[in-house]
Amino acid sequence: MLIEAEWALWGVPPGSKDAHDVLSCSRGRIGRSGFSALVDRYARVTPRKLPQVTIARAGADEGAHLFLAVQKWSGAFDGLGRGIAVTHCFCVPYAQAVFGPVSYEGLYQALDGQAVPSDGGPLVVAPPELDSDAVAEAVGQTAMGAAALLLTGERVCVVEGGGASLLDRLRFLDTVAALLPYGFRTKLIASTWAPSAAEHRSRLFFAEHPSENAFNIVWRREVSVPESHDVAHRYYKLLTDRKKNGLAELIARFSRETEQRKFSAETLAAVLPAAESAAEPSPTSIDDLLIACADSIEDGRAGLLPGHLARLDTLRGSAAVNGSVRRRRNIVSDRRLLTPSAALVPAVQEHLYDLVLSVAYGPELTVDGLDQILKDVNPISARLLAALARMPAADSTVTLRLAGRLDPHQSATALTLLSVEELVAAGEREPVDPPVVRLVCSELAARWADPGRRTGIGAALRGRGRLMAAVERLDEADADGQFEKYLVLLVIDYGPSLDPEKVREAFTSHAEVLSVPLLAALALLCDVPARRLLPQLVFHELLGQGGITSKTFEKFQTEHDTPEPHPSRARATRPQESGTDPSLLSRLGFTYRKRV
């Protein structure tokens, strides 16, 4: 799992007497002013002992981020000879953090010490996922007491932890957070060290001395949770009981509850019943997980979705995927799992689409699967189209049918993957698929217009009369439309001008699909000698269809010279009067010269 973190460095330049400020930062949503405000709010005070880490929040809803501030000595000195402490700041989109999900320690280990990109781009790292078994093993009485006390809504200060390492204290904060639903991390502010007397916003923190406005607990000592706080007291007892059996399952359950939560009386009180019901069986089959995903969205419990998706992701690579495709497609259709939901952030919506398509429509997208989706989902969203484009296509027809619905950039990317032979084969496929044939003609024209991509296009078309036949059946009521597509294909195949040899070859090759629009396209491309030959070829073909032998035709031909066509009779083949787009013909290399 990869995450992209925006970053900033906050401090003073070496040798300077300037005030602290953002020294450099990434380009992105947070920006210089955003990072400056975050440091000022959460990590302005520099502890005496470094390094230290503060975890906080940035933004909300779809823009929610986890903010990580790592304060450490730089080894340089300011203009007054004082050591410079630099705060390394990182902002990770919450929507990315929930997939795993990732822990505080995992983020710290992945981000700290990384060289920031010189171009201002984000840091791309792969932090380890939260390991519920390892966390459960590390849970002690102090962590359980701290988690229970947080349910009171008050702050919790840990004292006598100065001898512990930074990682030990960070791991403790992680453990306490893991004993609550993951969604609280969007509001939890925690610090490995905060001055007791200073103003700060941390809700869970280590300090040298007890704090006046917090529950003070002692590092690695059992915590006494007051019975007057009923929910907290009962929760502490539940955790103590679960420590003996089932704590890992509770942590795993909470790690999947990623819906953002505030530290309000209502949300804190809901933790206890959620923990008490954590023994309820979770959906285990692909069908049940699809239904659970739909229920989570419909019931407004989108925070449960990442957990369902994580299990779905595990199952899709196993034998469990070999179930009833029809049943799964019915679930997807009936429960509208491919319809956009305003309750889901884009990253979750995209992950949902990828997994649902994989388990319900197979590892490859087929024509049948695409038809079913287009039938069930109307209108189809751009995000779903993008997910369909990410699936491997079973054949070129799927790619072409999908490309016709994508935006120009995505469509061009998809079409680039197809060879000329695949394009032509898709256009010839029965039954005729009008959007595909139109796109084939358009793509062939675009490739022919690029001199560097012309090689092989004419050879792929030559002798493939079925594509011409498909064009004839494409727009039976639109002669001008047929004419334009025939013109494109002929120019690609034979070039912008037909001499007698080329016109004879083209006429013979496509005699079976000969039509007025095709004849018009041939006539428009003929040079003067070929223009004299074409009527003879047409007349010969008509006589042959009527049973007249070639010997009789040759006798007729020797006794009657074919006059050069009168200019007025060629008017129907002019681009301006045939409905053909002159710019298209120019792009193909054909230049119309007005006859005089």
Side-chain angles (χ1 to χ4, degrees):
M1 178 193 67
L2 296 177
I3 63 170
E4 295 184 352
E6 294 185 46
W7 55 268
L9 298 178
W10 189 86
V12 296
S16 170
K17 296 180 182 180
D18 296 338
H20 285 72
D21 199 359
V22 174
L23 302 176
S24 62
C25 70
S26 59
R27 303 185 311 272
R29 181 171 184 169
I30 308 299
R32 178 178 294 271
S33 60
F35 275 112
S36 182
L38 288 169
V39 173
D40 192 55
R41 185 179 306 160
Y42 300 121
R44 184 77 180 189
V45 178
T46 302
R48 288 188 300 104
K49 296 180 180 180
L50 294 180
Q52 301 296 343
V53 177
T54 296
I55 301 113
R57 66 178 188 272
D61 301 324
E62 291 188 7
H65 288 67
L66 297 183
F67 172 61
L68 203 71
V70 183
Q71 297 170 294
K72 53 187 177 181
W73 298 114
S74 66
F77 298 89
D78 64 13
L80 299 176
R82 297 172 300 187
I84 296 176
V86 175
T87 302
H88 299 250
C89 307
F90 307 98
C91 272
V92 176
Y94 182 68
Q96 295 180 18
V98 299
F99 288 108
V102 299
S103 64
Y104 294 151
E105 181 184 357
L107 286 175
Y108 171 75
Q109 291 183 337
L111 293 168
D112 185 52
Q114 291 285 341
V116 297
S118 58
D119 62 355
L123 274 172
V124 181
V125 295
E129 298 179 4
L130 188 151
D131 186 338
S132 55
D133 290 322
V135 174
E137 186 67 26
V139 170
Q141 295 293 329
T142 314
M144 291 189 291
L149 289 173
L150 285 174
L151 296 189
T152 66
E154 301 295 332
R155 304 197 304 165
V156 176
C157 171
V158 186
V159 296
E160 298 186 19
S165 69
L166 170 66
L167 276 179
D168 283 341
R169 283 177 273 124
L170 181 61
R171 194 169 292 128
F172 175 83
L173 302 180
D174 230 344
T175 302
V176 175
L179 295 174
L180 300 173
Y182 196 88
F184 279 115
R185 297 191 187 219
T186 57
K187 300 297 180 183
L188 178 62
I189 305 166
S191 181
T192 58
W193 200 259
S196 305
E199 290 289 335
H200 60 82
R201 297 171 179 263
S202 295
R203 184 177 292 272
L204 174 66
F205 59 97
F206 283 80
E208 188 174 1
H209 305 290
S211 175
E212 294 182 0
N213 302 312
F215 283 108
N216 293 288
I217 61 177
V218 180
W219 172 244
R220 291 186 173 172
R221 298 277 184 85
E222 186 172 349
V223 176
S224 176
V225 180
E227 292 187 20
S228 57
H229 293 280
D230 180 59
V231 171
H233 184 76
R234 288 166 56 194
Y235 188 57
Y236 181 61
K237 185 177 185 305
L238 181 146
L239 291 177
T240 303
D241 293 340
R242 285 275 183 129
K243 174 64 177 174
K244 302 173 184 175
N245 182 27
L247 190 56
E249 287 78 2
L250 176 63
I251 293 170
R253 165 77 173 266
F254 279 164
S255 73
R256 297 190 292 268
E257 295 189 11
T258 56
E259 184 177 0
Q260 299 181 41
R261 303 190 187 202
K262 298 179 180 179
F263 278 85
S264 65
E266 181 181 1
T267 56
L268 291 171
V271 173
L272 179 61
E276 291 172 337
S277 65
E280 296 176 0
S282 300
T284 55
S285 72
I286 289 179
D287 293 2
D288 288 344
L289 282 167
L290 290 173
I291 294 171
C293 288
D295 287 341
S296 298
I297 299 170
E298 186 176 340
D299 297 341
R301 297 183 297 163
L304 299 177
L305 198 57
H308 298 325
L309 295 180
R311 290 195 292 279
L312 199 58
D313 196 9
T314 301
L315 289 178
R316 71 168 171 168
S318 68
V321 79
N322 299 320
S324 171
V325 171
R326 177 176 296 181
R327 172 172 164 74
R328 288 176 191 159
R329 291 185 181 181
N330 286 339
I331 293 172
V332 171
S333 175
D334 294 343
R335 303 304 299 272
R336 299 171 60 83
L337 277 169
L338 295 179
T339 300
S341 171
L344 303 183
V345 296
V348 176
Q349 184 80 75
E350 290 168 5
H351 194 50
L352 172 67
Y353 284 160
D354 288 342
L355 290 174
V356 168
L357 291 172
S358 176
V359 300
Y361 295 90
E364 292 183 329
L365 183 61
T366 63
V367 171
D368 173 66
L370 181 58
D371 284 344
Q372 186 67 49
I373 292 168
L374 296 176
K375 177 183 176 182
D376 292 342
V377 185
N378 188 26
I380 192 166
S381 69
R383 191 160 281 120
L384 177 55
L385 284 172
L388 290 168
R390 288 193 293 271
M391 294 183 71
D395 56 47
S396 56
T397 301
V398 175
T399 302
L400 283 160
R401 294 189 62 181
L402 191 57
R405 294 174 174 270
L406 298 172
D407 65 45
H409 175 72
Q410 292 174 318
S411 178
T413 302
L415 292 174
T416 301
L417 301 176
L418 298 180
S419 66
V420 175
E421 289 75 13
E422 288 174 319
L423 285 169
V424 175
E428 293 178 338
R429 179 170 174 159
E430 295 287 346
V432 172
D433 190 330
V436 167
V437 176
R438 293 189 184 96
L439 193 56
V440 166
C441 292
S442 175
E443 177 64 11
L444 290 175
R447 294 190 186 188
W448 193 88
D450 180 358
R453 303 171 69 194
R454 289 183 185 177
T455 305
I457 297 181
L461 277 176
R462 202 153 293 132
R464 305 293 288 269
R466 283 190 298 164
L467 184 56
M468 289 288 196
V471 171
E472 181 184 21
R473 293 158 58 189
L474 178 65
D475 297 304
E476 295 181 353
D478 181 11
D480 283 341
Q482 289 186 22
F483 165 79
E484 184 170 308
K485 292 175 180 60
Y486 283 137
L487 189 64
V488 167
L489 297 177
L490 288 171
V491 169
I492 292 174
D493 200 349
Y494 300 100
S497 178
L498 297 180
D499 58 22
E501 182 180 350
K502 287 181 179 179
V503 79
R504 187 183 298 277
E505 180 184 344
F507 187 90
T508 304
S509 298
H510 305 299
E512 293 183 1
V513 294
L514 204 58
S515 63
V516 172
L518 178 55
L519 285 173
L522 284 168
L524 186 62
L525 298 178
C526 285
D527 61 14
V528 174
R531 199 180 306 132
R532 296 192 186 100
L533 174 62
L534 183 59
Q536 297 177 25
L537 295 173
V538 175
F539 189 55
H540 189 183
E541 178 68 19
L542 290 173
L543 291 178
Q545 292 177 6
I548 302 300
T549 64
S550 59
K551 184 177 181 180
T552 303
F553 175 75
E554 290 169 1
K555 180 179 179 181
F556 176 86
Q557 191 175 23
T558 58
E559 296 177 0
H560 299 274
D561 292 329
T562 301
E564 182 177 347
H566 191 276
S568 62
R569 295 178 183 175
R571 294 179 70 251
T573 66
R574 295 182 183 180
Q576 293 91 334
E577 299 177 13
S578 66
T580 305
D581 180 3
S583 64
L584 171 66
L585 302 182
S586 298
R587 185 160 59 87
L588 291 173
F590 176 82
T591 303
Y592 171 69
R593 294 181 177 84
K594 186 175 181 180
R595 297 175 184 172
V596 296

